[in-house]
């Protein structure tokens, strides 16, 4: 899957959009919907996630000890444990075991054996290897890599598979339906299982105290592979160890729900081999099962390190080891839903968490090939049953990739825009987008000239060639009068106090006239300040109408732009500056109202990594998304009538909340406020709009971004085609602007008392 | 054992596509025979008062008989009420292959062996592991796959599962 040139990357994505998109999208969004359903129906799901997380943290902390414990228990049971340093070591061991026992191997699904390319190693040694999981069988026959952690072949439709099988096996009657394909594969593989000398399985969990392997399957192949041949080899990463059956409990409730939305898998095998189950010689017509005996049974547990010990010692990658490979991060990912793991994946692993796995077991180069496909939308964060901060892992790896890059010939073009701590040589487009603040300041100061210039043909061509900005995108239009300029011009904080006071005198506010006032600052984020000041102006008027004194101080940009390009040090420095500028306001008891959801997400989520705990807590607890804040005001007695409700012939509202806003749980408030004012609201289901900051501007990803957006556009078309479109995020507004004829607005603009 | 739990168990079985019948010792033979599709094989149930001996079931089959069978009858060590799951032991009698290879699995579970949920079942198993760790599987409904582009039941494991719930005396 090596894609070197950016143009190759675009072509590869285009190819996948044309060939695999439909099946991937259908299957992943089905799993995703089912996960939502199953997790909301299960009472206490969130507590279970917390518990699972704790257990994994503890197990990885105690890993060396658990390895010793499992060695003792497995050996006491009569099996063998081999700890393999790397892929070659593991393969060599398995090959020796197989050679002692025969030359045919059947396997149940195991990503870990994919990681070490066990099949290739065994085949090179003259062993016949058969994958018995039907999805794995399909990719084995097609000689492809799995495209998904849980559904290796979910990029293929029944028709596809039928064509593949008919071509390969030439059955008497051509196969057509899923039923026929399944029956064919079952019979074919059933014979292979019965003949096999060795069964190889993976393990979802390994219980150290008892030496028990836990396998989660739906087809029953895992059971057959483990029970039929006398020799069973289980290959598992060392991170699969849990102390005992007690710690397994939350995982048995979580894993199937997270993966496919099932309450429980069809088969949850608890194998403590070698088992007492009788040896099965199927040609034996005389000896009953109870007399077959199990003396010939043999068991080998191969525990694979292959970089995991180093990951454990790496404070940023360590979390990856908590992953239970449920695939939920892939299913909830808008980009993955379009292209699947053949673009969004490395040598073995796929989806958001693949970046961590591939960086750990293969190296940065492999992770770098697909790391950009994570836009940081954070929709996977709440999906992950072990609460892994998957976007953070992607950001850290991006930072490391940036630092590993060599200096290039166009560096001088963005040099002045880049802070010193970021390395020269890093991708120029990334440096440009990461320092969007500088461009925005310059662009706004010289608008409208800057807008004309930027859109002029030769400039756009240069931007495409050097910075990778797709020529098909409209560029953000900078406003000459910034949001802060406007606020100062109308009299600044003093005027706002006066306005809020008047409102209170008129009885329109939540704060009784003789009581203390509520004060807020509206954070002038980069986009609100320079590109979309209208939403800032509306926010100020809405707050004043509810009796809140507003200030719009000079606060630096949040660091979201550099962070999204993997410029962690720059973002970290920004966080300190932002906190420095806000501390006084926080101390004065002012609330921080944020219009741009991705910046609110910085304050609440990412700043946790950058600020001391107390500072982060103070800022995050006192920051609100604009309409979330309005919701709070209305809940506390604010008068909704001072805001603008639906027009007499209002067409209704189609609302797309921002991905990061939803992860924070700050999206429902907007719907509630709109409902309360009498708007008729429909919500989008799409996980993300596809623009995701700079992502949709990039030449390599333009088509993917549009493909993601198409899902949203479809939702807002048809019967909803007349509705007013509102969205909270800048990116979402830009994307909807490109996708629809209707002009989208921010919800606070709808509420604006000055709206006509 | 409360009727609530049995009702819950029955519902969960149906949710997972498992048919079931409830019987007592007297009615066991005829209830079992109704559930069989011949040829049938089985392993000794080990429950007092009932056995497979007078039913058309080949008890303790040879591997060749196992492969030719349509129905496999086994006891279930536990039934899990919330999910309609059975805990089948990988014992020396061959419960694992008999419950796995034939197209139809008939699981016989005693009411007194029903537990509320999976964590409770793991508790029981955990106690047993403290003495002697063994192998077992929680099986819920028929084997299934979506890998061929649509949901198909009956893959490597049974296509039909039927439960016989044996009342306590
Ligand atoms: S990172 Fe979390 S959501 Fe993704 S596969 Fe691993 S456990 Fe599942």
């Amino acid at each position: 899957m090596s894609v070197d040139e950016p143009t190759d990357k675009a072509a590869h994505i285009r190819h996948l959009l044309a060939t695999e998109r439909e099946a991937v999208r259908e299957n992943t969004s089905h799993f995703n919907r089912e996960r939502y359903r199953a997790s909301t129906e299960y009472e206490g799901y969130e507590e279970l996630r917390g518990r699972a997380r704790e257990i994994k943290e503890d197990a990885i902390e105690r890993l060396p000890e658990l390895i010793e414990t499992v060695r003792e228990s497995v050996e006491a049971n009569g099996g063998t444990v081999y700890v393999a340093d790397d892929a070659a070591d593991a393969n060599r061991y398995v090959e020796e075991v197989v050679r002692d026992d025969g030359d045919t191997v059947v396997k149940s699904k195991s990503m870990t054996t994919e990681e070490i390319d066990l099949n290739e190693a065994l085949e090179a040694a003259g062993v016949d290897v058969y994958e018995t999981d039907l999805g794995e069988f399909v990719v084995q026959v097609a000689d492809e890599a799995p495209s998904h952690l849980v559904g290796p072949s979910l990029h293929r439709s029944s028709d596809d598979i039928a064509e593949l099988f008919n071509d390969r096996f030439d059955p008497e009657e051509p196969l057509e339906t899923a039923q026929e394909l399944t029956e064919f594969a079952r019979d074919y593989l059933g014979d292979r299982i019965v003949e096999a000398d060795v069964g190889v399985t993976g393990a979802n969990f390994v219980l150290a105290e008892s030496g028990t392997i836990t396998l989660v399957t739906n087809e029953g192949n895992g059971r057959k592979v483990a029970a039929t041949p006398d020799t069973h080899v289980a290959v598992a990463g060392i991170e699969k160890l849990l102390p005992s059956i007690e710690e397994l409990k939350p995982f048995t409730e979580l894993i199937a729900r997270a993966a496919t939305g099932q309450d429980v898998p069809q088969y949850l095998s608890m194998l403590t081999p070698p088992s007492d189950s009788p040896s099965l010689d199927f040609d034996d017509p005389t000896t009953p099962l109870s007399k077959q005996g199990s003396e010939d049974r043999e068991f080998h547990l191969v525990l694979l390190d292959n970089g995991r010990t180093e990951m454990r010692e790496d404070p940023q990658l360590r979390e990856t080891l908590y992953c239970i490979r449920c695939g939920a991060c892939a299913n909830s990912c808008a980009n993955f839903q379009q292209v699947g793991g053949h673009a969004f994946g490395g040598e073995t692993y796929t989806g958001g968490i693949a970046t961590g796995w591939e960086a750990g077991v293969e190296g940065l180069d492999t992770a770098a090939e697909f790391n950009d496909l994570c836009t940081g939308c954070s929709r996977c964060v709440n999906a992950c049953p072990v609460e892994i901060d998957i976007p953070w892992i992607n950001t850290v790896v991006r930072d490391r990739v940036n630092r590993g890059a060599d200096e290039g010939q166009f560096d001088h073009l963005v040099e002045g825009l880049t802070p010193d701590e970021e390395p020269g040589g890093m991708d120029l487009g990334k440096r440009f987008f990461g320092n969007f603040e500088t461009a925005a300041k310059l662009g706004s100061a010289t608008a409208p000239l800057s807008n004309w210039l930027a859109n002029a043909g030769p400039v756009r061509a240069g931007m495409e060639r050097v910075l990778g900005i797709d020529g098909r995108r409209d560029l953000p239009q900078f406003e000459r009068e910034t949001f802060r300029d406007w606020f100062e011009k109308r009299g600044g904080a003093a005027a706002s106090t006066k306005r809020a006071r008047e409102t209170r005198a008129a009885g329109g506010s939540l704060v009784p006239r003789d009581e203390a006032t509520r004060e807020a600052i509206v954070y002038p984020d980069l986009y609100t300040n320079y590109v979309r000041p209208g939403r800032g102006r509306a926010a100020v008027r809405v707050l004043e109408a509810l009796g809140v004194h507003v200030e719009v101080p000079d606060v630096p940009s949040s660091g979201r732009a550099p962070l999204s390009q993997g410029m962690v040090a720059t973002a970290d420095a920004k966080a300190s500056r932002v906190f420095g500028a806000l501390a006084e306001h926080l101390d004065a008891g002012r609330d921080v109202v944020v219009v741009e959801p991705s910046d609110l997400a910085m304050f609440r989520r990412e700043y946790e990594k950058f600020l001391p705990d107390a500072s982060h807590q103070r800022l995050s607890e006192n920051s609100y998304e604009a309409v979330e804040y309005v919701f709070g005001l209305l809940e506390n007695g604010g008068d909704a009538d001072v805001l603008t409700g639906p027009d007499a012939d209002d067409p209704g509202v189609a609302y797309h909340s921002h991905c990061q806003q939803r992860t924070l749980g700050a999206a429902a408030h907007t719907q509630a406020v709109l409902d309360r004012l009498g708007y008729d609201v429909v919500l989008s289901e799409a996980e993300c709009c596809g623009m995701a900051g700079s992502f949709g501007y990039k030449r390599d990803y333009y088509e993917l971004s549009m493909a993601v957006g198409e899902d949203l556009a479809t939702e807002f078309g048809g019967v909803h085609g007349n509705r007013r479109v509102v969205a909270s995020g800048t990116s979402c507004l830009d994307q909807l602007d490109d996708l629809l004829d209707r002009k989208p607005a921010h919800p606070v603009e709808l509420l604006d008392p000055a709206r006509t | 054992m409360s009727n609530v739990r049995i009702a819950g168990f029955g519902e969960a079985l149906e949710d997972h596509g498992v048919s079931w019948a409830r019987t007592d010792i007297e009615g066991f033979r005829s209830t079992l025979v109704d559930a069989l599709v011949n040829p049938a094989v089985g392993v000794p149930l080990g429950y007092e008062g009932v056995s497979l001996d007078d039913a058309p079931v080949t008890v303790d089959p040879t591997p060749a008989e196992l492969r030719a069978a349509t129905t496999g009858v086994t006891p279930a060590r536990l039934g899990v009420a919330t999910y309609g799951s059975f805990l089948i032991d990988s014992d020396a009698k061959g419960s694992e292959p008999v419950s796995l290879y034939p197209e139809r699995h008939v699981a016989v579970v005693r009411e007194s062996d029903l537990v509320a949920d999976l964590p409770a079942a793991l508790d029981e198993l955990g106690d047993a592991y403290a003495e002697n760790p063994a192998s077992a599987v929680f099986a819920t409904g028929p084997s299934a796959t979506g890998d061929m582009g649509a949901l198909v039941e009956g893959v490597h494991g049974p296509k039909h599962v039927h439960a016989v719930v044996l009342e306590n005396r």
Side-chain angles (χ1 to χ4, degrees), chain A residues 15 22 82 273 387 426 505 509:
Chain A
H15 170 72
E22 218 172 290
Y82 184 76
E387 299 182 339
M426 131 183 198
S509 111

Side-chain angles (χ1 to χ4, degrees), chain A residues 183-243:
Chain A
E183 280 165 14
F184 171 83
R186 177 197 60 202
D187 293 347
Y188 177 83
L189 294 169
D191 291 344
R192 305 286 91 74
I193 293 172
V194 165
E195 295 158 5
D197 304 306
V198 177
V200 174
T201 70
N204 291 87
F205 306 95
V206 179
L207 312 181
E209 261 175 38
S210 54
T212 304
I213 309 295
T214 304
L215 286 181
V216 175
T217 68
N218 283 332
E219 295 181 358
N221 62 315
R223 294 175 69 187
K224 272 193 175 161
V225 164
T228 309
D230 276 338
T231 303
H232 174 190
V233 179
V235 183
I238 51 176
E239 83 284 1
K240 299 284 177 69
L241 280 160
L242 293 177

Side-chain angles (χ1 to χ4, degrees), chain A residues 67-389:
Chain A
I67 293 176
E68 284 323 300
T69 310
V70 82
R71 189 191 292 280
E72 281 164 30
S73 61
V74 168
E75 283 171 5
N77 295 336
T80 314
V81 174
Y82 184 76
V83 180
D85 286 339
D86 56 23
D89 191 13
N91 289 339
R92 186 189 45 73
Y93 181 83
V94 179
E95 198 187 306
E96 275 168 22
V97 171
V98 173
R99 260 211 237 108
D100 280 352
D101 291 288
D103 54 12
T104 314
V105 168
V106 284
K107 288 179 69 205
S108 78
K109 187 174 171 318
S110 150
M111 290 308 294
T112 310
T113 60
E114 292 276 355
E115 175 188 323
I116 59 177
D117 290 328
L118 177 65
N119 293 10
E120 286 77 352
L122 291 176
E123 280 160 5
V127 176
D128 290 329
V129 186
Y130 298 95
E131 293 287 352
T132 64
D133 171 87
L134 264 43
E136 281 290 340
F137 179 57
V138 169
V139 295
Q140 186 185 30
V141 172
D143 196 18
E144 284 179 320
S147 63
H148 187 277
L149 291 174
V150 170
S153 65
L154 60 61
H155 57 288
R156 284 176 170 268
S157 65
S158 295
D159 290 349
D160 254 2
I161 301 170
E163 204 181 307
L164 176 74
F165 280 16
N166 289 332
D167 190 46
R168 180 52 152 328
F169 298 104
D170 197 16
E172 276 167 35
E173 281 290 308
L175 304 163
E176 262 176 48
T177 62
Q179 182 81 35
E180 288 165 7
L181 291 163
T182 301
E183 280 165 14
F184 171 83
R186 177 197 60 202
D187 293 347
Y188 177 83
L189 294 169
D191 291 344
R192 305 286 91 74
I193 293 172
V194 165
E195 295 158 5
D197 304 306
V198 177
V200 174
T201 70
N204 291 87
F205 306 95
V206 179
L207 312 181
E209 261 175 38
S210 54
T212 304
I213 309 295
T214 304
L215 286 181
V216 175
T217 68
N218 283 332
E219 295 181 358
N221 62 315
R223 294 175 69 187
K224 272 193 175 161
V225 164
T228 309
D230 276 338
T231 303
H232 174 190
V233 179
V235 183
I238 51 176
E239 83 284 1
K240 299 284 177 69
L241 280 160
L242 293 177
S244 73
I245 194 169
E246 180 60 31
E247 286 76 19
L248 179 68
K249 284 183 197 164
F251 296 100
T252 60
E253 301 293 292
L254 284 170
I255 193 165
R257 286 187 172 85
T260 56
Q262 289 170 273
D263 48 8
V264 64
Q266 313 299 119
Y267 303 116
L268 175 69
S269 292
M270 307 281 299
L271 304 172
T272 315
S275 87
D276 297 334
S277 203
S279 286
L280 293 171
D281 175 1
F282 279 102
D283 299 328
D284 184 345
T286 50
T287 321
L289 289 180
S290 68
K291 300 279 180 319
Q292 293 273 338
S294 57
E295 302 76 34
D296 293 338
R297 287 199 176 272
E298 232 183 82
F299 174 62
H300 302 261
L301 174 61
V302 180
L303 289 173
L304 179 71
D305 190 318
N306 205 27
R308 286 163 173 80
T309 298
E310 272 180 54
M311 290 167 81
R312 179 173 172 270
E313 282 154 15
D314 181 329
Q316 309 293 0
L317 287 188
R318 181 176 176 128
E319 262 198 299
T320 308
L321 298 173
Y322 308 157
C323 171
I324 58 171
R325 304 199 184 148
C326 68
C329 51
N331 301 333
S332 62
C333 173
N335 280 349
F336 191 95
Q337 288 179 1
Q338 307 297 324
V339 290
H342 287 159
F344 202 154
E347 295 291 327
T348 312
Y349 298 101
T350 50
I353 196 60
T355 296
W357 281 118
E358 296 284 335
V361 306
E362 298 286 342
L364 271 188
D365 289 353
T366 311
E369 284 181 18
F370 62 94
N371 168 258
D372 282 348
L373 286 172
C374 171
T375 63
C377 85
S378 79
R379 294 306 299 143
C380 53
V381 168
N382 296 349
C384 176
V386 280
E387 299 182 339
I388 298 176
D389 193 343

Side-chain angles (χ1 to χ4, degrees), chain A residues 619-686:
Chain A
L619 177 56
S620 82
E621 282 176 3
N622 293 295
S623 302
Y624 304 86
E625 190 274 330
V627 186
E628 179 192 23
Y629 192 65
V630 171
F631 174 84
L633 296 172
L634 296 182
E635 283 295 292
N636 286 289
D639 181 2
D641 290 344
V642 302
L643 305 179
T644 301
D647 306 332
D649 53 351
D650 200 88
V653 173
Y655 174 49
H656 174 66
S657 76
H658 186 269
C659 42
Q660 289 164 338
Q661 185 182 356
R662 271 190 291 160
T663 300
L664 297 173
H669 307 92
T670 298
Q671 189 192 4
V673 168
L674 293 174
D675 278 346
R676 180 148 168 191
L677 282 163
Y679 288 98
D680 174 27
V681 188
V682 295
L683 291 178
S684 62
E685 265 182 36

